[in-house]
Amino acid sequence: RSRGLGDVYKRQPPGSSRVKRREPFTANINGYVGGSIGQETLEGAPLSSKEEFTSFAPTIPVGLSFSKLIGRGKKSQSFSLFLSIIDLGSLMTFSFDSEIEGENQLSFKNVLKPGLQLHWNIKNSPFFMGVGGQWGPQFREFNGEQKQLNSARIFLNFGVDVVIKRLY
């Protein structure tokens, strides 16, 4: 007998993302791995004006997730409110707009991205779909000197739900 993703998912350990899809309420230290598309804004000196552009990025945030099961029985759905603290994927944000001032810095200073996201935890799978926003510093190089800009980003994302530690 061949085993599908659903069979593998049902055998995952109790700390897995499966718990938030079956329990009425959970709280977790959580990570997510996936991709996102969004609208980003950069502002601050030395930019001559506010820069707005569409960005594509892997999403690898870590933070706290609070999940609630809504509905009953087979029609129930799980949703999570996720408070991100860092996002390792922000190191690799890509924009098709080559007119953005300064050079992007591959620096761990750019991973502090506090944010808020709402996720739909897709039933019978470890996957999620979500919408969210992030705010934080963006370090870019201008004429050989590193400058800190203010970054704000709204986005849609999709990926795999990775529970790091179950709190409740």
Side-chain angles (χ1 to χ4, degrees):
R1 159 178 140 89
S2 68
R3 294 185 177 208
L5 180 60
D7 291 336
V8 172
Y9 184 69
K10 288 176 187 171
R11 292 179 293 141
Q12 290 191 1
S16 74
S17 61
R18 175 179 62 178
V19 174
K20 66 172 69 172
R21 288 155 173 83
R22 298 197 179 188
E23 294 294 324
F25 177 79
T26 62
N28 302 292
I29 296 174
N30 223 106
Y32 294 92
V33 178
S36 68
I37 181 170
Q39 187 69 23
E40 189 163 351
T41 302
L42 294 175
E43 60 184 341
L47 292 178
S48 56
S49 64
K50 183 171 25 174
E51 301 276 350
E52 292 185 16
F53 55 94
T54 300
S55 62
F56 301 92
T59 182
I60 312 169
V62 176
L64 297 172
S65 103
F66 302 93
S67 303
K68 176 100 173 110
L69 198 58
I70 299 181
R72 294 180 186 239
K74 293 186 179 213
K75 295 192 183 253
S76 65
Q77 294 291 324
S78 173
F79 294 89
S80 294
L81 184 63
F82 178 63
L83 305 168
S84 64
I85 299 166
I86 62 171
D87 189 350
L88 298 173
S90 65
L91 290 173
M92 298 169 268
T93 300
F94 176 76
S95 169
F96 287 116
D97 188 351
S98 61
E99 299 298 317
I100 299 170
E101 294 183 51
E103 293 293 320
N104 195 22
Q105 290 289 293
L106 187 60
S107 165
F108 278 103
K109 293 177 184 178
N110 284 336
V111 301
L112 181 61
K113 298 290 183 189
L116 183 63
Q117 300 177 34
L118 178 62
H119 294 161
W120 168 45
N121 304 311
I122 301 171
K123 194 170 185 141
N124 298 325
S125 81
F127 300 105
F128 76 95
M129 289 180 65
V131 61
Q134 289 178 324
W135 306 266
Q138 177 69 41
F139 290 88
R140 296 182 73 84
E141 188 175 309
F142 294 85
N143 300 324
E145 191 175 338
Q146 191 179 71
K147 299 286 184 177
Q148 179 180 331
L149 303 173
N150 297 318
S151 169
R153 185 168 179 258
I154 56 171
F155 54 86
L156 299 171
N157 57 358
F158 173 80
V160 177
D161 184 347
V162 181
V163 173
I164 297 168
K165 174 78 173 151
R166 187 169 166 199
L167 302 174
Y168 177 83

Coordinates of all heavy atoms in Angstrom, one line a residue, residues 14-50:
P14 N 3.4 14.3 19.0 CA 2.4 15.2 19.6 C 2.8 16.7 19.6 O 1.9 17.5 19.7 CB 2.3 14.7 21.1 CG 3.0 13.4 21.1 CD 3.8 13.3 19.9
G15 N 4.1 17.0 19.5 CA 4.5 18.4 19.5 C 4.4 19.0 18.1 O 4.7 20.2 17.8
S16 N 3.9 18.2 17.1 CA 3.9 18.7 15.7 C 2.8 19.7 15.5 O 1.9 19.9 16.3 CB 3.7 17.5 14.8 OG 2.4 17.0 14.9
S17 N 2.7 20.2 14.3 CA 1.7 21.2 13.9 C 0.3 20.5 13.9 O -0.7 21.2 13.9 CB 2.0 21.8 12.5 OG 2.0 20.7 11.6
R18 N 0.2 19.2 13.9 CA -1.1 18.5 13.9 C -1.9 18.9 15.2 O -3.1 19.0 15.1 CB -0.8 17.0 13.9 CG -2.1 16.2 14.0 CD -1.8 14.7 14.0 NE -1.0 14.4 15.1 CZ -0.6 13.1 15.3 NH1 -1.0 12.2 14.5 NH2 0.1 12.8 16.4
V19 N -1.3 19.1 16.3 CA -2.0 19.4 17.5 C -2.8 20.7 17.4 O -4.0 20.7 17.8 CB -1.0 19.6 18.7 CG1 -1.7 20.0 20.0 CG2 -0.3 18.2 18.9
K20 N -2.3 21.7 16.7 CA -3.1 23.0 16.6 C -4.3 22.8 15.7 O -5.2 23.6 15.7 CB -2.2 24.1 16.2 CG -1.6 24.1 14.9 CD -0.9 25.4 14.4 CE 0.3 25.6 15.2 NZ 1.1 26.8 14.7
R21 N -4.3 21.8 14.9 CA -5.4 21.5 14.0 C -6.5 20.6 14.6 O -7.5 20.3 14.1 CB -4.9 20.9 12.7 CG -4.2 21.9 11.8 CD -3.2 21.2 10.9 NE -2.6 22.1 10.0 CZ -1.5 22.9 10.2 NH1 -1.0 22.9 11.4 NH2 -1.0 23.7 9.3
R22 N -6.2 20.1 15.9 CA -7.1 19.2 16.6 C -7.6 19.7 18.0 O -8.6 19.3 18.4 CB -6.5 17.9 16.7 CG -6.2 17.3 15.4 CD -6.0 15.9 15.4 NE -5.7 15.5 14.0 CZ -5.6 14.3 13.6 NH1 -5.7 13.3 14.4 NH2 -5.4 14.1 12.3
E23 N -6.8 20.6 18.6 CA -7.1 21.1 19.9 C -7.8 22.4 19.8 O -7.5 23.2 18.9 CB -5.8 21.2 20.8 CG -5.1 19.9 21.1 CD -5.9 19.0 22.0 OE1 -6.6 19.5 22.9 OE2 -5.9 17.8 21.7
P24 N -8.7 22.7 20.8 CA -9.5 24.0 20.7 C -8.6 25.2 20.8 O -8.9 26.2 20.1 CB -10.4 23.9 22.0 CG -10.4 22.5 22.4 CD -9.2 21.9 21.9
F25 N -7.5 25.2 21.6 CA -6.6 26.3 21.7 C -5.2 25.8 21.9 O -5.0 24.9 22.8 CB -7.0 27.3 22.8 CG -6.1 28.4 23.0 CD1 -6.1 29.5 22.1 CD2 -5.1 28.4 24.0 CE1 -5.3 30.6 22.3 CE2 -4.2 29.5 24.1 CZ -4.3 30.6 23.3
T26 N -4.2 26.4 21.3 CA -2.8 26.1 21.6 C -1.9 27.3 21.5 O -2.3 28.3 20.9 CB -2.2 25.0 20.5 OG1 -2.2 25.6 19.2 CG2 -2.9 23.7 20.5
A27 N -0.8 27.3 22.2 CA 0.2 28.3 22.2 C 1.5 27.7 22.0 O 1.8 26.6 22.6 CB 0.2 29.1 23.5
N28 N 2.3 28.2 21.0 CA 3.6 27.5 20.7 C 4.7 28.5 20.4 O 4.4 29.7 20.0 CB 3.4 26.7 19.4 CG 2.3 25.6 19.5 OD1 2.5 24.7 20.2 ND2 1.2 25.8 18.8
I29 N 5.9 28.1 20.6 CA 7.0 28.8 19.9 C 7.1 28.1 18.6 O 7.1 26.9 18.5 CB 8.3 28.6 20.7 CG1 8.2 29.2 22.1 CG2 9.5 29.2 19.9 CD1 9.4 29.0 23.0
N30 N 7.0 28.9 17.5 CA 6.7 28.4 16.2 C 7.7 29.0 15.2 O 8.2 30.1 15.3 CB 5.3 28.8 15.8 CG 4.6 27.6 15.1 OD1 3.7 27.1 15.7 ND2 4.9 27.3 13.9
G31 N 7.9 28.2 14.1 CA 8.6 28.6 13.0 C 7.8 28.3 11.8 O 6.9 27.4 11.8
Y32 N 8.1 28.9 10.7 CA 7.4 28.6 9.4 C 8.5 28.7 8.3 O 9.4 29.5 8.4 CB 6.3 29.6 9.1 CG 5.2 29.6 10.1 CD1 5.1 30.4 11.2 CD2 4.1 28.7 9.9 CE1 4.1 30.4 12.1 CE2 3.0 28.7 10.8 CZ 3.1 29.5 11.9 OH 2.0 29.4 12.8
V33 N 8.3 27.8 7.3 CA 9.2 27.8 6.2 C 8.4 27.9 4.9 O 7.5 27.0 4.7 CB 10.1 26.5 6.2 CG1 11.0 26.5 5.0 CG2 10.9 26.4 7.5
G34 N 8.6 28.9 4.1 CA 7.8 29.0 2.9 C 8.3 30.2 2.0 O 9.4 30.6 2.1
G35 N 7.3 30.7 1.3 CA 7.6 31.8 0.4 C 6.6 32.9 0.6 O 5.5 32.7 1.1
S36 N 6.9 34.1 0.2 CA 6.0 35.2 0.3 C 6.1 36.2 -0.8 O 7.2 36.3 -1.5 CB 6.2 36.0 1.6 OG 7.4 36.7 1.6
I37 N 5.0 36.9 -1.1 CA 5.0 38.0 -2.1 C 4.3 39.2 -1.4 O 3.3 39.0 -0.7 CB 4.3 37.7 -3.4 CG1 4.4 38.8 -4.3 CG2 2.9 37.2 -3.1 CD1 3.9 38.5 -5.8
G38 N 4.9 40.4 -1.5 CA 4.3 41.5 -0.8 C 4.8 42.8 -1.3 O 5.5 42.9 -2.3
Q39 N 4.3 43.8 -0.6 CA 4.6 45.2 -1.0 C 5.5 45.8 0.2 O 5.1 45.7 1.3 CB 3.3 46.1 -1.1 CG 3.5 47.5 -1.5 CD 4.0 47.5 -3.0 OE1 3.7 46.6 -3.8 NE2 4.6 48.6 -3.4
E40 N 6.7 46.3 -0.1 CA 7.6 46.8 0.9 C 7.9 48.3 0.7 O 7.9 48.8 -0.4 CB 8.9 46.0 0.8 CG 9.9 46.3 1.9 CD 11.0 45.3 2.1 OE1 10.9 44.2 1.4 OE2 11.9 45.5 2.9
T41 N 8.1 48.9 1.8 CA 8.4 50.4 1.8 C 9.6 50.6 2.6 O 9.8 50.1 3.7 CB 7.2 51.2 2.5 OG1 6.0 50.9 1.8 CG2 7.5 52.6 2.5
L42 N 10.5 51.3 2.0 CA 11.8 51.7 2.7 C 11.8 53.2 2.8 O 11.5 53.9 1.9 CB 13.0 51.3 1.9 CG 13.3 49.8 1.8 CD1 14.5 49.6 0.9 CD2 13.5 49.2 3.2
E43 N 12.2 53.8 4.0 CA 12.3 55.2 4.1 C 13.3 55.6 5.2 O 13.7 54.7 6.0 CB 11.0 55.9 4.5 CG 10.3 55.4 5.7 CD 8.9 56.1 5.9 OE1 8.6 57.1 5.2 OE2 8.1 55.5 6.6
G44 N 13.8 56.8 5.1 CA 14.8 57.3 6.0 C 16.0 57.8 5.3 O 16.2 57.5 4.1
A45 N 16.9 58.6 6.0 CA 18.1 59.1 5.3 C 19.0 57.9 5.1 O 19.1 57.0 5.8 CB 18.7 60.1 6.3
P46 N 19.7 57.9 4.0 CA 19.9 58.9 2.9 C 19.0 58.8 1.7 O 19.3 59.3 0.7 CB 21.4 58.7 2.6 CG 21.5 57.2 2.7 CD 20.6 56.8 3.8
L47 N 17.9 58.1 1.8 CA 17.0 58.0 0.6 C 16.4 59.4 0.3 O 16.1 60.2 1.2 CB 15.8 57.1 0.9 CG 16.1 55.6 1.0 CD1 14.9 54.8 1.3 CD2 16.8 55.0 -0.2
S48 N 16.4 59.7 -1.0 CA 15.8 61.0 -1.4 C 14.3 61.0 -1.3 O 13.7 62.1 -1.1 CB 16.2 61.3 -2.9 OG 15.8 60.2 -3.7
S49 N 13.6 59.9 -1.3 CA 12.2 59.8 -1.1 C 11.8 58.4 -0.7 O 12.7 57.5 -0.7 CB 11.4 60.1 -2.4 OG 11.7 59.1 -3.4
K50 N 10.6 58.2 -0.2 CA 10.1 56.9 0.2 C 10.1 55.9 -1.0 O 9.7 56.3 -2.1 CB 8.7 57.0 0.8 CG 8.2 55.7 1.3 CD 6.9 55.7 2.1 CE 6.0 56.7 1.9 NZ 4.7 56.5 2.7

